[in-house]
């Protein structure tokens, strides 16, 4: 039976979590850690922030002194980021303070400079402050020793910033997952070859390599297999040298769609051989000699969508980063749209802001072979088989197009 989109996702999650792949770890300089998966937890090496930090430019004072406003206090000094104030702020006193500076002892509130008037050493406060207003308290982001990143987390720009603040010039990450890509089809020629009028260039080898790299894997394009069983078999043997492999093309019901048969002959186990989605229905997921694989339909948009919603999840789970469900967004529909009976559909579309409202409109496209349409899209309009026809203005589901 053909599983639904949700059931197929669950099958992938279950199969992959059942077999944890133990990748070795390696040290990399922090600047090379983007996109990598952490092999170790990271703890706060001291309190964050390390002192009570002023969040504003203004004046630090005792909040009790600001109970009735206006009030004029004596300014006894200044403290900027990178220095500290030696004395204590007493009753009736204040200190000029800059954003990022340590709040002096005695003071427990900061009033923004905009709400004060200064004349020489006297500062009149036109606004009061609650205790610790405009102050980020020592240790409030993370007390010393707290885990701030966990093994299995993927490092993005924000995590790089956090690791840098912890002093991690070098980080321990898991080895990248190696992913073989085999494209199949007698009509395909390599990108540098001028195709005959009846041939097409092997674009999937490139889009899939890019998607694998973006997902954090190391792609290896094994080559183009003609629609001949023996060659496909030999090239699948090569794919088995890597951690995981992706086959493109040859999984539909046509006379020359040999990939499934070959995999079967080689002893593959299949978890599903199609999914109730469009594009991408003939998607295949299985395992051959301890290696998970996907057989993607050859149509470029089908391959792209199935990679984004299924293969990327599998790849990242195998790479040690856990299984992340695809996250859907909402937008208002520009023109009426109807679901397809029995299928979850992913239609290339553009979402644009109209004032403060995201509005989604489908791209005109010629079906699942249309890379021109795909490149013009910035999202997919997602329609589930159980939802009724939708009118203009209805809130509908969109999936942002991956990179
Ligand atoms: P298939 O899944 O093999 O039946 O192929 C479906 C459609 O996708 C056909 O029009 C193929 O020519 C096209 N196609 C298959 N493989 C590729 C590829 N690697 N790059 C671009 N288009 C492809
Ligand atoms: Mg084919």
């Amino acid at each position: 039976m053909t599983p639904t989109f949700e059931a197929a996702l669950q099958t992938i999650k279950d199969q992959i979590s059942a077999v944890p792949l133990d990748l070795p770890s390696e040290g990399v300089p922090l600047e090379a850690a983007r996109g990598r998966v952490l092999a170790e937890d990271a703890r706060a090496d001291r309190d964050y922030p390390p002192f009570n930090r002023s969040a504003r430019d203004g004046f630090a004072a005792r909040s009790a002194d600001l109970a009735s406003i206006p009030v004029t206090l004596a300014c006894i000094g200044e403290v900027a980021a990178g220095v500290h104030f030696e004395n204590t702020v007493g009753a009736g006193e204040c200190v000029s303070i800059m954003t990022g500076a340590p709040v002096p002892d005695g003071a427990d509130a900061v009033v923004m400079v905009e709400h004060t008037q200064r004349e020489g050493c006297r500062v009149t406060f036109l606004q009061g402050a609650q205790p610790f207003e405009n102050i980020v308290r020592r240790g409030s982001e993370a007390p010393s020793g707290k885990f701030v990143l966990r093994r299995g987390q993927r490092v993005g720009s924000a995590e790089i910033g956090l690791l840098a603040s912890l002093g991690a010039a070098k980080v321990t990450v898991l080895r990248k997952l190696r992913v073989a890509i085999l494209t199949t089809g007698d009509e395909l020629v390599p990108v540098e070859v001028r195709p005959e009028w009846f041939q097409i260039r092997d674009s999937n080898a490139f889009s899939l390599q890019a998607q694998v790299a973006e997902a954090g894997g190391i792609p290896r394009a094994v080559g183009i297999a003609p629609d001949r069983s023996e060659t496909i078999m030999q090239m699948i043997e090569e794919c088995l040298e890597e951690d995981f492999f992706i086959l493109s093309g040859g999984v539909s019901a046509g006379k020359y769609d040999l990939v499934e048969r070959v995999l079967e002959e080689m002893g593959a186990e299949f978890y599903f051989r199609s999914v109730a989605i469009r594009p991408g229905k003939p998607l295949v997921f299985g395992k051959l000699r301890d290696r998970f694989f996907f057989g993607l339909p050859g149509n470029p948009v089908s391959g792209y969508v199935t990679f984004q919603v299924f293969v990327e999840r599998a790849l990242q789970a195998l790479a040690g980063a856990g299984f992340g469900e695809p996250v859907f967004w909402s937008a208002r529909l520009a023109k009426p749209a109807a679901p397809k009976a029995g299928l979850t559909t992913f239609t290339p579309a553009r979402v644009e802001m109209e004032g403060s409202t995201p509005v989604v409109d489908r791209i005109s496209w010629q079906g699942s072979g249309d890379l021109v349409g795909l490149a013009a899209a910035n999202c997919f309009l997602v329609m589930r088989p159980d939802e009724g026809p939708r009118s203009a203005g209805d809130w509908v589901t969109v999936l942002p197009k991956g990179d």
Side-chain angles (χ1 to χ4, degrees):
M1 212 192 83
T2 298
T4 61
F5 167 67
E6 290 80 6
L9 205 56
Q10 188 63 45
T11 299
I12 297 168
K13 185 176 177 177
D14 292 345
Q15 290 303 332
I16 287 182
S17 2
V19 195
L21 191 94
D22 231 350
L23 292 169
S25 57
E26 60 195 35
V28 294
L30 181 55
E31 57 271 30
R34 205 182 92 90
R36 303 300 299 266
V37 178
L38 291 175
E40 289 175 357
D41 300 330
R43 284 169 184 269
D45 62 319
R46 57 180 182 160
D47 288 337
Y48 286 85
F51 45 82
N52 288 337
R53 181 179 69 210
S54 178
R56 297 281 184 268
D57 294 323
F59 292 90
R62 295 171 174 250
S63 57
D65 282 352
L66 306 171
S68 66
I69 291 299
V71 63
T72 301
L73 304 178
C75 185
I76 59 164
E78 180 188 285
V79 59
V83 296
H84 57 97
F85 190 70
E86 296 294 344
N87 301 313
T88 298
V89 177
E93 295 176 342
C94 68
V95 164
S96 166
I97 193 165
M98 315 301 149
T99 302
V103 176
D105 286 346
D108 70 346
V110 170
V111 174
M112 285 164 72
V113 68
E114 291 88 333
H115 304 310
T116 61
Q117 280 169 359
R118 182 172 188 165
E119 275 172 55
C121 288
R122 307 199 64 73
V123 179
T124 302
F125 289 74
L126 307 172
Q127 223 175 62
Q130 296 300 311
F132 293 97
E133 199 168 327
N134 296 323
I135 294 172
V136 186
R137 293 181 80 158
R138 174 176 178 166
S140 63
E141 294 162 357
S144 180
K146 186 186 171 179
F147 290 109
V148 288
L149 291 169
R150 289 292 192 174
R151 173 184 162 90
Q153 259 177 282
R154 201 162 174 226
V155 178
S157 314
E159 289 74 19
I160 295 224
L162 176 53
L163 287 161
S165 76
L166 303 179
K170 212 173 150 196
V171 288
T172 310
V173 296
L174 297 174
R175 166 169 80 62
K176 284 190 176 191
L177 197 76
R178 301 196 184 108
V179 184
I181 297 162
L182 175 61
T183 42
T184 71
D186 279 336
E187 73 280 34
L188 302 177
V189 298
V191 68
E192 62 280 1
V193 171
R194 174 198 278 268
E196 298 290 344
W197 63 268
F198 51 88
Q199 297 178 318
I200 58 160
R201 296 189 179 96
D202 175 14
S203 60
N204 290 354
F206 285 85
S207 49
L208 289 169
Q209 285 181 83
Q211 285 181 298
V212 165
E214 182 62 31
I218 300 179
R220 172 181 158 206
V222 168
I224 301 173
D227 293 318
R228 262 203 321 279
S229 300
E230 315 79 71
T231 320
I232 295 175
M233 196 178 285
Q234 280 163 17
M235 293 180 87
I236 290 177
E237 287 291 347
E238 267 186 76
C239 290
L240 287 163
E241 292 166 9
E242 309 303 331
D243 299 314
F244 171 59
F245 64 100
I246 302 168
L247 308 168
S248 153
V251 291
S252 314
K255 182 175 168 196
Y256 295 102
D257 290 327
L258 306 171
V259 166
E260 262 175 275
R261 258 176 281 161
V262 171
L263 285 163
E264 222 162 74
E265 264 178 59
M266 295 176 82
E269 189 179 345
F270 293 86
Y271 304 116
F272 55 72
R273 294 168 181 245
S274 66
V275 185
I277 56 171
R278 177 179 290 171
K281 190 157 184 271
L283 179 72
V284 174
F285 171 53
K287 195 161 46 164
L288 175 61
R289 295 185 222 147
D290 289 348
R291 295 287 189 263
F292 285 105
F293 66 82
F294 280 90
L296 272 45
N299 264 317
V301 183
S302 310
Y304 185 92
V305 169
T306 49
F307 188 98
Q308 188 178 336
V309 297
F310 296 121
V311 184
E312 184 184 308
R313 321 283 144 197
L315 193 161
Q316 291 187 343
L318 288 170
F323 192 91
E325 310 278 343
V327 174
F328 295 97
W329 298 40
S330 285
R332 280 187 188 275
L333 198 54
K335 298 188 195 88
K340 203 93 207 136
L343 298 174
T344 299
T345 57
F346 298 84
T347 312
R350 278 199 78 81
V351 63
E352 308 280 359
M353 295 305 290
E354 282 183 18
S356 56
T357 309
V359 176
V360 61
D361 200 5
R362 280 163 294 173
I363 297 260
S364 101
W365 72 313
Q366 304 301 317
S368 51
D370 187 352
L371 273 175
V372 178
L374 179 65
N378 68 0
C379 71
F380 299 98
L381 168 64
V382 182
M383 299 204 77
R384 298 198 162 83
D386 50 3
E387 65 185 309
R390 299 308 206 96
S391 318
D394 282 355
W395 284 98
V396 290
T397 304
V398 298
L399 177 71
K401 189 177 87 174
D403 255 343

